[in-house]
Amino acid sequence: MPTRNAIEKRQRIVVGNGDSDICQQIAQQPDLSPEEQSAYVLEFRRELFHWAARKIRPEFQVSTWSLFWRTSVDGEVIAEVARELGLSIGAAYAARCRILARLKRTIEERDDSQWVYHYE
């Protein structure tokens, strides 16, 4: 059984004062140009999309996901992919719309504490 001192040691929390060398080094870095900021925002959004896609992927059938990915990400023509998969164009648009809505909900419901940088 741990002693009282051992328990107290585990419960101690060290709180920084924000005056570390690292904070000073960060503060001395030059600001990013608008182009660099845009690149970071774009990369963050890509990562966010891929995170959400990985998260919801198991919720959909392989053919439905394939239709979505090929038409929304790879840029293939929806009518051609629908015909290849044996779907009507209306069913293809509806399936793609369901996945896009699910992606949007997943991103909106995310726990921001897991992301280091927040760009809105």
Side-chain angles (χ1 to χ4, degrees), residues 42-92:
L42 181 59
E43 182 61 24
F44 174 78
R45 289 181 177 166
R46 278 190 195 121
E47 289 297 321
L48 187 58
F49 169 79
H50 284 285
W51 166 82
R54 284 189 305 272
K55 187 170 180 158
I56 71 165
R57 168 62 191 93
E59 299 174 20
F60 298 93
Q61 294 180 358
V62 172
S63 60
T64 305
W65 189 261
S66 176
L67 171 107
F68 161 74
W69 198 266
R70 290 172 61 188
T71 59
S72 296
V73 177
D74 295 338
E76 294 184 43
V77 177
I78 197 165
E80 293 174 10
V81 176
R83 184 176 50 248
E84 183 182 317
L85 296 174
L87 299 171
S88 70
I89 293 175

